[in-house]
């Protein structure tokens, strides 16, 4: 079939229409609402920027910074944990790699809230598994990290580690063994092999894992609510409060647009450098 008669556009049309209606449409409506006067429930032409001014001046910068900082720390820590795990699974696990990968992926199929409440029991100062085990075995009394910033971070790392590990495992599989052997034959040490050979070749998988982890963490709310308690307020909690409790949809929409803009500013430059054809071996 010639290029002019290619059925590709027709096959892509349903997906394009679906994305326009279910992705671009809601973003357009939310952006429109963000320009409405405060506590307005109808879309009109009375545009104002007061909601964006309030988003900057009314104390919402702190929840936004916590969300960005928590997402960045979680992304870095999960990458540091996932790199050696991916190397071991790919090179040394052998026939056990599938079983280990399945065990790592298994918690994803369990409700996130259930897992986080389980972690909260684990972190309790009295009656908690961690405190009770240390006290029984070594006589060590520890305080609780529950309802703290650190507890929320631990929860985010635990929940999002698989989203970093599996793309990174795909990236590690792109590293040819002969490249590593050649680098070692030329006198490269372990650090040089990782820096000059492994990291550049596994970079597509690492970038996808980092994007997934960062974006999911930026929108995370359960970890802060269940493990962080009142000590932690993230931007998603502020958005929920404006929409549901304060009934201030324009303010909630302005905060939502801010999160979308920040996410796009971080994600789009990374995606522009990502070679998906190489990652999928096309």
């Amino acid at each position: 079939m010639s290029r002019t008669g290619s059925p590709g556009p027709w096959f892509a049309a349903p997906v394009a229409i679906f994305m326009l209606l279910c992705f671009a449409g809601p973003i357009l409506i939310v952006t429109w609402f963000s320009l409405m006067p405060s506590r307005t429930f109808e879309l009109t032409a009375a545009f104002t920027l007061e909601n964006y001014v309030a988003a900057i001046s009314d104390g919402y910068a702190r929840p936004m910074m916590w969300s960005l900082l928590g997402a960045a720390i979680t992304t870095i820590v999960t990458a540091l944990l996932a790199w050696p795990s991916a190397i071991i699974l790919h090179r040394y696990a052998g026939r056990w790699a599938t079983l280990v990968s399945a065990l790592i992926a298994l918690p994803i199929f369990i409700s996130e809230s259930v897992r986080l409440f389980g972690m909260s029991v684990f972190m309790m100062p009295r009656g908690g598994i961690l405190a009770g085990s240390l006290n029984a075995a070594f006589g060590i009394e520890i305080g609780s990290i529950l309802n703290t910033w650190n507890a929320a971070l631990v929860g985010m790392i635990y929940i999002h580690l698989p989203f970093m590990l599996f793309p990174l495992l795909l990236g590690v599989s792109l590293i040819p063994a002969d490249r590593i052997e050649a680098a070692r034959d030329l006198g490269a040490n372990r650090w040089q092999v990782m820096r000059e050979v492994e990291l550049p070749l596994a970079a597509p998988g690492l970038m996808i894992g980092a994007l997934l982890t960062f974006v999911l963490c930026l929108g995370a709310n359960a970890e802060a609510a269940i493990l962080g308690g009142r000590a932690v307020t993230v931007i998603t909690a502020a958005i929920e409060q404006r929409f549901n409790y304060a009934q201030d949809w324009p303010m909630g929409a302005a905060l939502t647009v801010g999160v979308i803009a920040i996410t796009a500013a971080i994600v789009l430059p990374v995606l522009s450098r990502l070679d998906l054809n190489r990652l999928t071996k096309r």
Side-chain angles (χ1 to χ4, degrees):
M1 183 178 290
S2 63
R3 280 186 172 272
T4 56
S6 174
W10 293 104
F11 287 125
V15 177
I17 294 172
F18 178 81
M19 292 298 292
L20 284 174
L21 293 177
C22 300
F23 180 75
I27 290 179
L28 178 62
I29 293 173
V30 169
T31 304
W32 193 346
F33 252 117
S34 71
L35 298 173
M36 296 295 97
S38 179
R39 302 186 186 282
T40 300
F41 299 97
E42 295 181 358
L43 295 174
T44 66
F47 298 135
T48 177
L49 295 177
E50 65 180 15
N51 297 306
Y52 290 97
V53 174
I56 298 173
S57 61
D58 288 359
Y60 292 104
R62 183 172 182 178
M64 178 64 77
M65 290 305 299
W66 195 100
S67 295
L68 290 171
L69 182 60
I73 293 175
T74 302
T75 302
I76 293 172
V77 173
T78 52
L80 293 175
L81 294 174
W83 177 262
S85 301
I87 295 292
I88 292 171
L89 283 173
H90 178 65
R91 295 182 187 169
Y92 307 112
R95 60 176 181 167
W96 298 101
T98 302
L99 176 60
V100 175
S101 300
L103 291 175
I104 294 174
L106 185 61
I108 298 177
F109 300 97
I110 301 174
S111 170
E112 182 177 322
S113 297
V114 171
R115 287 184 284 159
L116 290 173
F117 277 116
M119 288 195 68
S120 67
V121 174
F122 184 83
M123 294 178 180
M124 286 180 181
R126 291 187 177 87
I129 297 174
L130 179 61
S133 300
L134 290 176
N135 188 20
F138 307 104
I140 299 176
E141 294 283 350
I142 64 170
S144 174
I145 67 169
L146 193 62
N147 298 326
T148 66
W149 190 76
N150 292 330
L153 270 180
V154 171
M156 291 173 68
I157 293 167
Y158 163 66
I159 293 294
H160 296 97
L161 180 59
F163 298 100
M164 174 65 77
L165 176 60
F166 292 116
L168 187 55
L169 185 59
L170 180 60
V172 168
S173 67
L174 298 176
I175 305 174
D178 56 353
R179 298 279 186 93
I180 298 175
E181 292 299 326
R184 289 173 178 170
D185 291 341
L186 292 173
N189 57 35
R190 184 69 190 88
W191 167 249
Q192 290 172 324
V193 170
M194 184 180 73
R195 185 184 61 189
E196 303 294 339
V197 179
E198 294 177 337
L199 277 178
L201 293 175
L206 179 61
M207 285 193 292
I208 290 178
L211 287 178
L212 278 174
T213 304
F214 185 86
V215 172
L216 290 173
C217 288
L218 193 59
N221 188 21
E223 294 86 350
I226 296 174
L227 299 179
R230 295 181 181 273
V232 179
T233 301
V234 292
I235 192 62
T236 49
I239 292 173
E240 180 183 7
Q241 193 273 338
R242 299 314 300 176
F243 272 111
N244 292 335
Y245 302 106
Q247 289 293 298
D248 191 354
W249 290 9
M251 188 67 218
L255 294 174
T256 303
V257 171
V259 174
I260 294 173
I262 292 174
T263 304
I266 295 172
V267 170
L268 292 180
V270 177
L271 286 178
S272 66
R273 300 172 58 89
L274 191 61
D275 187 359
L276 291 177
N277 288 332
R278 176 173 172 270
L279 189 63
T280 55
K281 298 182 180 180
R282 292 177 57 186

